[in-house]
Amino acid sequence: MDERRPDPEALLKQVMQEEERQRQGKLKIFFGAAPGVGKTYAMLEAAQKRRQEGVDIVAGLVETHGRNETDALLEGLETLPRRPYSYKGKTLHEFDLDAALARNPSILLVDELAHTNIPGARHRKRWQDVRELLCAGISVYTTVNVQHLESLNDVVHQITGIAVRETLPDSVLDRADEIELVDLSPDDLLQRLKEGKVYIPDRARKAMENFFRKGNLIALRELALRRTAERVDEQMELYRRDQGVQAIWPATERILVCVGPNPRSIRLIRAARRMAAGLRAEWIAVNVEAPTHVRPSEEDKRLLSEHMRLAESLGAETVTLTGHRVSEEILSYARLRNVGKIIVGKPTHPRWKDKLLGSPLDEIVRGSGDIDIYVITGDAPEGVPRRLEKKTFPPWKPAAWLWAFSTVAAATGIAAVMFPYFALLDLVMVYLLGIVVAAIRTSRWPTLAATLLSIAAFDFFFVPPYYTFAVADVRYAVTFGVMLVVALVISGLTLRVREQAEAARGRERRTAALFNLSRDLARERKKDRLSEIAVKHISEVFLSQVVILVPDEQGHLAVPSTGVGTFALDEKESGVAQWVMENRQAAGCGTDTLPGAKALYLPMIASSGPVGVVGILPGNPGMPFEPEQVHLLETFANQTAMAMERVILAQEAQKERVSAETQSLRNVLLSSVSHDLRTPLAAITGSADTLLHGGDGLDAETRNGLIRSIHEEAERLNRIVRNVLNMTRLESGAIQIRKEWQALEEIVGVVIDRLSGRLDGHTLDVRMPEGLPQVPFDPLLMEQVLTNLFENALRYTPPGTPVELTARMQGAGVLVEMADRGPGIPEGQQERIFDKFARGKVPGGGVGLGLSICRVIVEAHGGRIWAENRPGGGAVFRFTLPVEGEPPRL
Amino acid sequence: MSGDKPVDKGLVLLVEDEVQMRRFLKVALESDGYRFVETGTAGEGLSQTATRNPDVVLLDLGLPDMDGLEFIGRVREWSQVPIIVISAREQESDKVRALDSGADDYLTKPFGVSELLARVRVAIRHAEVRASGREETVFAAGDLRIDFTKRQVFLGAGEVHLTPLEYKLLLVLVRNAGKVVTHRQLLKEVWGPSYVEHTQYLRVYMTQLRHKLESDPARPRYLLNEPGVGYRFKDEPGT
């Protein structure tokens, strides 16, 4: 057994999906081959059993169609009331999604998953309702018939001759957590039909009789069985992948299917899906826009759009290519994407066309190299009216025709001038030149007209017999023929080149637009600006009005800015946008969800989830965007989403940084304070303890010494606590400065007095001139400043040295100086000493807050504080206090 | 003041809930010759004040059962007993309010014993003077001498000329020598009740007074500034 390593990417994806699934509700489908096999019955049986187990199970919508046995099983089950909708004058009662969400049961029964909802309901199809229920965490039991599956729809039609309109994308079945096949043998089913136990709406009676032929039933049953078996297979694959057990790991196959507006494409798409499912391969639906073909009609565009959407809903990647030769484009793209199999439809046009214009099928087959080509019958399904490929003529542009004629006239004129001197063939060249000019300036039909006209003019004016359309020499006919061919070729080439250039320009414009958007978004740092930029770009590219909604703190969507290019939202539209935000899916005009909305809303999804919603109002109301445009829009939306996410993350990172810094600062403070408080405390405790234990054994001197020590350390503790408290208060803004006009000497005295006990041999010299004016300051805070400076001087200078305090007028303020004769400040540290927790190398120092407190207070007074070294040794601390205004007159 | 130091200096009532504080205050006051009574709640303090008639009450402002101001207010309804409030630092406004509503002086935690004893001494002295009703005609402290009847102030040998307002200001301070007088009280007494917010005047005049009376205005001997609270005339060491 060859154990292959499971692909880590795929595993991760799977794990994430699993996690998603855990949060979502579980979907159990009761699957049957035909109506009447008993799916609803089986569902109700299971429901009753769960109810008896005590599970909160509610019947959301169960169609019993009056069958008694089924009705009986509803007994005891809580049923949700239906919601009335008025439709075409009648009141119909349908499933109430909002009531179900509000009720929030563990399991909800919702019959007939493939049902199409009445217009006015939130979603177009019931399976979308069920999806929303699952996303909300509600598990669902439902029923599905095999003919409702999208990929089997045409097969069923082939078998039974009935085309079922209400289809279900296969992805829904794939998503189901459990599928229970309700099987009934065809004989039994026919028996039930006879007994009238099968519900058939009256209008379908005739058709249903056709349906219930034994052959059909057998085939349908087989289909259902096979489909269920396929699913079992898939689950086994998943299991094996999980376990890493893989004997044969299929190479990643890719299938490419060519899609066009022709209804036959539908069949091709479904076939491609089946093949892809069977091979476990990815598949791509490709449409080639050949600019030289006749311009597609509105109808064709719509059909193509539908087909592409169908392909997408079935799980394909959709791509539109442009190019002249369909076969070339397809083959080169196939090679680029490593496609292994190409599916094309059998040709239906007459053979002569192939002979004349070349058969694209043939070219593909021949050029395919090692790619397999599957040619599939593309018969249009019956019941669907066959649409003729209409060739529309481009709008009448008189200017172009005028141009064409004038070039012919000009050519004729020039030729006339040249006629006497040049040979006839030279004149032909002149006409050809005219045709080329016409081809450059006008389009296909005027050019063709110009060609014919040129030949006619040439014949009329320059070919004998002159001024007649007759031809003297038959050889001239050959000349005409060659002329015609050459003209057609040249004009064809020219036109093609023009059109390709046009297409390339279009692509380039889109790419450039996207690039511009990215570039502008990358530069911005503010979320509001991002929205503005995105709105501007998107509205320019799509020529529509755009709005971007971003959730505020409460999670409600709000428009961050209004301005050019945006439109206002009424309540209904806001509701749609909110839904999009919550469900992370597109909604609005052109989608299956809330299609009645005026605009299309797309979620902007970044890696962390939805960041907002972009709403775009189509230029033509009622005409939704083509899938290609929607793709492009999604790209724009996601770019914007990423930019927004980037900004949000940057803001969060900033907050984190600030918080981390605050945290670290707090930690420093805590550890510092803790140490500095503990030290004096240790001395106090120690001394007191010694006194207690020593008792009378200690002599008086020792005892006094210890007591003094306690006293000193207690004072030191007091100072530290005071500083820490002050710093905390100052920083938290709890202190308000109350300036009063007063003389500086008022507080100088106080400070000196307080510190007189600690002079420790220092001498204090105070010099303040007589006429020093009053200065506005807060007395208590300034007392703190002087105290701290003083203490600083006392601590860091040797005992016996003088400390000088002076004050004098300077400019518009007062300058105060505290100078000492100590060791001074180490070079380069003059600023650092004012930092918090900066300490000198002296034991018994404080926590290092003293000077930083001084700075905060002085600066809060509007002054400045700094330190310098003195000539002659020592440090001097200076601070200024501004004096603004005059003290109040007495 | 002459005479023997009395053995019994008076009764001190302490209203304080912190046990450690009570212990050291008891030791400090009793060893200095005071009688000492302590209570832990304001309610009990009120009743003790009424029954024991102390000479001075020490009141902690941070009592759990009653606001200090309320206690002072109640006592002042029927007694003029000196009240000294004890409060933590940086609560100047509390002290000022207490003083303005009837307290006589304050102590800031942590305080030293000498400060405590000085305050108590001053408080009791003033109470005695008030009670005795005698009017002093002369005041002397250090170099300073004031003759109230002649309205003359002498610093050492020389006379100091004061303006009427300066004189009045000095008078108020000296009348409360040793005790703190709040800005408000000073303004009210010197300028009048409508001037109680005009701290500006006070500062200017105090500065002038200081310059006239002090040899070093930056290091005043007599006219002490109590920032945030008021001024105090220092007439003995320790205050």
Side-chain angles (χ1 to χ4, degrees):
Chain A
M1 187 87 88
D2 186 21
E3 292 208 11
R4 289 279 186 91
R5 277 265 197 78
D7 174 20
E9 283 285 321
L11 267 185
L12 181 65
K13 201 162 153 215
Q14 204 186 313
V15 167
M16 278 169 53
Q17 275 174 354
E18 282 298 314
E19 280 181 14
E20 255 308 305
R21 291 273 279 262
Q22 293 299 332
R23 278 198 293 270
Q24 298 189 338
K26 304 266 183 287
L27 176 63
K28 177 162 177 167
I29 297 183
F30 291 86
F31 190 53
V37 297
K39 301 179 295 298
T40 312
Y41 192 87
M43 180 174 77
L44 285 171
E45 269 188 334
Q48 286 289 355
K49 228 192 298 190
R50 299 310 299 276
R51 188 174 77 91
Q52 270 152 18
E53 288 167 16
V55 177
D56 178 18
I57 181 162
V58 169
L61 185 128
V62 176
E63 302 280 13
T64 62
H65 300 301
R67 287 171 288 190
N68 295 335
E69 295 146 346
T70 323
D71 262 332
L73 275 178
L74 267 180
E75 208 71 35
L77 271 180
E78 183 187 332
T79 319
L80 273 181
R82 297 200 191 178
R83 187 163 155 179
Y85 288 93
S86 78
Y87 179 63
K88 291 193 175 153
K90 291 190 284 188
T91 308
L92 300 169
H93 291 84
E94 286 270 307
F95 176 55
D96 193 346
L97 178 59
D98 286 314
L101 286 170
R103 171 66 179 74
N104 200 18
S106 301
I107 303 180
L108 192 71
L109 302 180
V110 181
D111 215 343
E112 291 173 19
L113 191 61
H115 178 79
T116 307
N117 288 333
I118 290 182
R122 177 136 87 228
H123 299 274
R124 202 161 67 84
K125 307 281 274 174
R126 187 169 290 161
W127 64 263
Q128 291 167 324
D129 290 338
V130 168
R131 186 172 59 185
E132 197 174 328
L133 287 168
L134 293 172
C135 273
I138 303 174
S139 294
V140 174
Y141 285 3
T142 187
T143 60
V144 171
N145 272 335
V146 70
Q147 71 257 33
H148 290 133
L149 287 180
E150 185 66 63
S151 62
L152 294 175
N153 189 282
D154 45 357
V155 175
V156 167
H157 169 64
Q158 258 193 329
I159 296 173
T160 63
I162 295 180
V164 174
R165 302 290 172 94
E166 296 190 329
T167 58
L168 196 63
D170 289 58
S171 56
V172 177
L173 203 76
D174 292 339
R175 193 236 171 274
D177 296 276
E178 230 185 295
I179 298 186
E180 192 172 305
L181 179 67
V182 180
D183 189 34
L184 201 61
S185 79
D187 287 326
D188 289 339
L189 182 56
L190 286 170
Q191 184 65 30
R192 294 193 67 199
L193 184 64
K194 273 209 204 84
E195 291 170 10
K197 289 191 181 160
V198 178
Y199 170 71
I200 297 175
D202 286 320
R203 53 186 157 84
R205 190 159 289 276
K206 198 81 173 83
M208 287 311 245
E209 269 162 29
N210 246 344
F211 185 88
F212 279 90
R213 279 195 292 225
K214 187 151 174 187
N216 287 352
L217 293 177
I218 293 175
L220 283 175
R221 188 185 183 205
E222 188 192 319
L223 208 55
L225 283 167
R226 201 160 3 120
R227 189 67 181 80
T228 316
E230 258 177 41
R231 196 195 139 84
V232 169
D233 222 9
E234 270 172 34
Q235 287 188 323
M236 190 165 73
E237 275 296 330
L238 276 174
Y239 174 79
R240 285 162 96 192
R241 213 190 299 172
D242 267 347
Q243 307 296 315
V245 173
Q246 197 58 52
I248 299 163
W249 191 257
T252 323
E253 271 276 22
R254 273 209 195 90
I255 299 176
L256 186 144
V257 62
C258 308
V259 171
N262 191 316
R264 291 193 294 272
S265 297
I266 298 180
R267 200 144 190 277
L268 291 180
I269 291 172
R270 294 216 181 98
R273 198 240 176 254
R274 285 198 291 276
M275 189 185 292
L279 292 174
R280 230 112 21 249
E282 295 172 8
W283 60 293
I284 311 168
V286 170
N287 168 246
V288 182
E289 266 175 15
T292 52
H293 285 177
V294 175
R295 254 184 253 295
S297 64
E298 283 303 314
E299 185 64 18
D300 280 350
K301 273 206 264 195
R302 192 184 65 80
L303 279 170
L304 180 61
S305 197
E306 257 182 47
H307 296 163
M308 290 303 248
R309 266 202 277 258
L310 172 66
E312 217 177 344
S313 75
L314 286 174
E317 189 189 325
T318 56
V319 170
T320 304
L321 303 171
T322 47
H324 172 63
R325 291 189 95 83
V326 173
S327 53
E328 262 176 41
E329 287 301 324
I330 288 180
L331 284 174
S332 63
Y333 188 73
R335 289 219 179 76
L336 184 70
R337 296 297 305 273
N338 233 346
V339 164
K341 296 175 172 22
I342 299 182
I343 298 178
V344 287
K346 281 197 196 153
T348 50
H349 48 255
R351 188 116 37 130
W352 61 261
K353 240 191 181 176
D354 280 352
K355 293 261 196 283
L356 191 62
L357 296 177
S359 154
L361 175 61
D362 210 32
E363 285 165 20
I364 290 179
V365 170
R366 286 197 185 283
S368 56
D370 51 5
I371 304 177
D372 296 334
I373 311 288
Y374 290 76
V375 184
I376 295 188
T377 309
D379 281 329
E382 229 185 273
V384 178
R386 198 165 295 200
R387 290 183 184 88
L388 290 168
E389 284 190 18
K390 265 196 293 219
K391 287 186 164 47
T392 49
F393 292 95
W396 180 265
K397 264 207 235 103
W401 294 86
L402 208 60
W403 246 108
F405 291 143
S406 43
T407 50
V408 177
T412 311
I414 297 173
V417 167
M418 287 165 59
F419 182 51
Y421 312 103
F422 286 87
L424 221 49
L425 283 169
D426 300 326
L427 304 182
V428 172
M429 288 299 143
V430 174
Y431 275 106
L432 284 178
L433 187 62
I435 292 170
V436 169
V437 169
I440 292 176
R441 306 291 281 188
T442 67
S443 55
R444 176 169 281 269
W445 292 107
T447 310
L448 190 59
T451 311
L452 293 172
L453 206 57
S454 298
I455 297 176
F458 180 61
D459 180 18
F460 195 75
F461 288 110
F462 304 108
V463 171
Y466 301 116
Y467 302 104
T468 68
F469 283 114
V471 185
D473 196 333
V474 177
R475 281 181 299 179
Y476 282 117
V478 174
T479 312
F480 295 154
V482 170
M483 232 178 115
L484 182 64
V485 166
V486 170
L488 284 175
V489 167
I490 292 178
S491 67
L493 280 172
T494 317
L495 284 168
R496 191 194 316 171
V497 165
R498 259 180 63 200
E499 277 162 0
Q500 278 184 339
E502 207 41 66
R505 262 200 294 277
R507 276 201 299 275
E508 195 255 335
R509 262 199 303 270
R510 287 198 287 267
T511 317
L514 200 55
F515 170 73
N516 285 335
L517 175 70
S518 320
R519 187 196 53 200
D520 283 347
L521 285 177
R523 284 204 283 244
E524 269 309 316
R525 285 177 164 260
K526 296 206 306 192
K527 228 159 75 160
D528 289 349
R529 278 290 298 150
L530 287 177
S531 312
E532 275 172 32
I533 291 170
V535 163
K536 175 168 151 263
H537 281 271
I538 298 177
S539 60
E540 271 171 18
V541 169
F542 290 90
L543 300 168
S544 323
Q545 290 188 305
V546 177
V547 71
I548 291 193
L549 300 116
V550 167
D552 61 16
E553 275 99 44
Q554 282 89 20
H556 297 305
L557 284 178
V559 183
S561 59
T562 47
V564 186
T566 65
F567 61 97
L569 290 173
D570 62 23
E571 217 183 282
K572 183 156 158 250
E573 301 285 309
S574 302
V576 179
Q578 189 72 33
W579 189 91
V580 169
M581 182 77 187
E582 284 161 14
N583 287 270
R584 303 188 188 190
Q585 275 166 30
C589 154
T591 66
D592 288 337
T593 310
L594 299 161
K598 277 194 295 236
L600 171 65
Y601 297 91
L602 295 176
M604 297 200 291
I605 304 201
S607 64
S608 60
V611 174
V613 171
V614 60
I616 176 165
L617 202 57
N620 281 338
M623 232 216 19
F625 295 100
E626 295 159 21
E628 195 199 308
Q629 282 185 309
V630 173
H631 275 305
L632 192 59
L633 193 57
E634 278 171 13
T635 318
F636 273 79
N638 287 339
Q639 281 283 59
T640 317
M642 285 198 291
M644 283 191 174
E645 191 185 41
R646 172 177 54 82
V647 166
I648 292 173
L649 287 176
Q651 281 174 348
E652 280 178 14
Q654 177 72 359
K655 263 193 276 195
E656 278 302 310
R657 255 200 306 274
V658 169
S659 153
E661 255 179 50
T662 316
Q663 194 62 23
S664 87
L665 208 57
R666 220 175 280 156
N667 287 342
V668 173
L669 173 62
L670 280 174
S671 68
S672 182
V673 168
S674 162
H675 167 80
D676 288 303
L677 289 176
R678 293 267 161 83
T679 317
L681 276 173
I684 292 170
T685 319
S687 305
D689 227 16
T690 314
L691 282 169
L692 281 171
H693 280 106
D696 292 322
L698 302 168
D699 63 44
E701 203 185 314
T702 320
R703 218 178 314 169
N704 283 340
L706 287 169
I707 294 172
R708 238 197 313 276
S709 173
I710 293 176
H711 197 249
E712 271 169 28
E713 290 302 282
E715 298 224 308
R716 189 167 138 212
L717 204 53
N718 189 24
R719 278 198 298 283
I720 293 170
V721 168
R722 187 195 67 209
N723 271 345
V724 170
L725 283 176
N726 273 337
M727 201 58 189
T728 316
R729 266 199 226 112
L730 281 171
E731 292 212 313
S732 70
I735 292 191
Q736 285 166 343
I737 300 190
R738 263 181 293 225
K739 290 198 212 172
E740 288 170 11
W741 288 88
Q742 52 198 296
L744 267 173
E745 65 192 34
E746 295 247 321
I747 46 156
V748 170
V750 175
V751 172
I752 296 173
D753 195 37
R754 294 251 168 93
L755 290 170
S756 57
R758 295 194 5 240
L759 277 180
D760 194 22
H762 290 89
T763 56
L764 181 59
D765 208 358
V766 178
R767 264 178 252 155
M768 293 210 293
E770 270 286 327
L772 201 64
Q774 297 206 317
V775 182
F777 59 86
D778 182 315
L780 290 165
L781 292 178
M782 209 40 68
E783 185 195 328
Q784 197 63 60
V785 171
L786 288 178
T787 309
N788 284 357
L789 286 175
F790 214 149
E791 276 178 357
N792 209 51
L794 292 176
R795 195 182 305 136
Y796 288 104
T797 63
T801 56
V803 176
E804 292 157 28
L805 175 65
T806 50
R808 61 170 187 275
M809 280 294 292
Q810 194 192 63
V814 161
L815 177 69
V816 180
E817 289 179 359
M818 177 94 62
D820 63 60
R821 288 281 174 209
I825 304 162
E827 254 328 297
Q829 294 284 323
Q830 282 95 331
E831 269 303 304
R832 257 221 79 218
I833 51 173
F834 287 98
D835 287 342
K836 278 195 272 218
F837 311 120
R839 276 193 262 213
K841 296 179 178 45
V842 167
V847 115
L849 287 175
L851 287 175
S852 61
I853 291 176
C854 291
R855 169 159 276 178
V856 174
I857 295 176
V858 166
E859 284 180 358
H861 276 82
R864 207 166 65 87
I865 183 167
W866 69 99
E868 283 166 359
N869 282 320
R870 280 170 100 181
V876 58
F877 287 83
R878 295 194 171 96
F879 70 91
T880 60
L881 285 176
V883 177
E884 275 154 38
E886 289 270 321
R889 315 290 290 136
L890 291 179
Chain B
M1 277 156 280
S2 59
D4 291 330
K5 190 166 151 192
V7 174
D8 172 14
K9 285 189 183 171
L11 176 64
V12 177
L13 170 66
L14 171 66
V15 189
E16 164 67 70
D17 59 330
E18 273 289 314
V19 173
Q20 304 295 344
M21 289 289 291
R22 278 163 41 181
R23 183 181 301 165
F24 109 80
L25 283 169
K26 178 180 164 85
V27 171
L29 287 165
E30 280 182 351
S31 63
D32 202 49
Y34 293 94
R35 279 174 292 131
F36 187 79
V37 170
E38 57 181 284
T39 69
T41 63
E44 225 187 286
L46 283 174
S47 57
Q48 292 281 7
T49 311
T51 53
R52 305 290 219 106
N53 214 14
D55 294 291
V56 69
V57 176
L58 293 175
L59 170 71
D60 185 305
L61 282 183
L63 288 171
D65 64 324
M66 194 188 292
D67 182 28
L69 292 178
E70 204 186 323
F71 181 94
I72 296 169
R74 291 229 208 149
V75 168
R76 281 286 172 261
E77 281 171 16
W78 43 267
S79 169
Q80 287 300 309
V81 62
I83 302 175
I84 300 175
V85 293
I86 301 172
S87 82
R89 197 185 169 77
E90 265 100 53
Q91 279 167 9
E92 265 68 28
S93 53
D94 290 348
K95 294 177 210 156
V96 170
R97 260 185 303 183
L99 290 167
D100 284 334
S101 22
D104 292 76
D105 217 328
Y106 70 96
L107 282 165
T108 307
K109 287 194 279 206
F111 52 84
V113 170
S114 52
E115 210 180 329
L116 166 74
L117 294 177
R119 297 271 200 273
V120 170
R121 194 165 47 242
V122 164
I124 293 182
R125 192 183 71 217
H126 280 284
E128 279 176 358
V129 169
R130 208 172 26 239
S132 74
R134 75 170 175 268
E135 282 272 337
E136 291 287 342
T137 50
V138 159
F139 176 86
D143 272 348
L144 193 65
R145 211 161 52 81
I146 308 175
D147 188 330
F148 296 129
T149 43
K150 287 195 197 140
R151 293 184 141 237
Q152 280 176 312
V153 181
F154 297 94
L155 194 61
E159 190 184 343
V160 182
H161 293 285
L162 300 177
T163 70
L165 278 173
E166 287 169 4
Y167 179 77
K168 215 168 159 187
L169 186 55
L170 182 61
L171 212 57
V172 176
L173 286 169
V174 158
R175 282 244 149 80
N176 289 281
K179 256 195 350 170
V180 70
V181 190
T182 62
H183 298 304
R184 202 181 173 87
Q185 283 166 344
L186 282 168
L187 285 163
K188 188 168 139 207
E189 297 238 12
V190 177
W191 278 272
S194 55
Y195 285 83
V196 287
E197 300 293 334
H198 292 62
T199 336
Q200 189 48 39
Y201 289 9
L202 190 56
R203 296 214 189 270
V204 171
Y205 276 89
M206 278 309 294
T207 309
Q208 283 170 213
L209 204 58
R210 215 180 295 125
H211 279 259
K212 286 189 181 175
L213 295 178
E214 301 279 358
S215 48
D216 185 357
R219 285 201 253 202
R221 251 181 78 191
Y222 307 107
L223 300 167
L224 296 189
N225 181 14
E226 313 256 317
V229 182
Y231 293 94
R232 187 194 302 265
F233 189 95
K234 178 172 168 178
D235 71 340
E236 53 179 271
T239 44

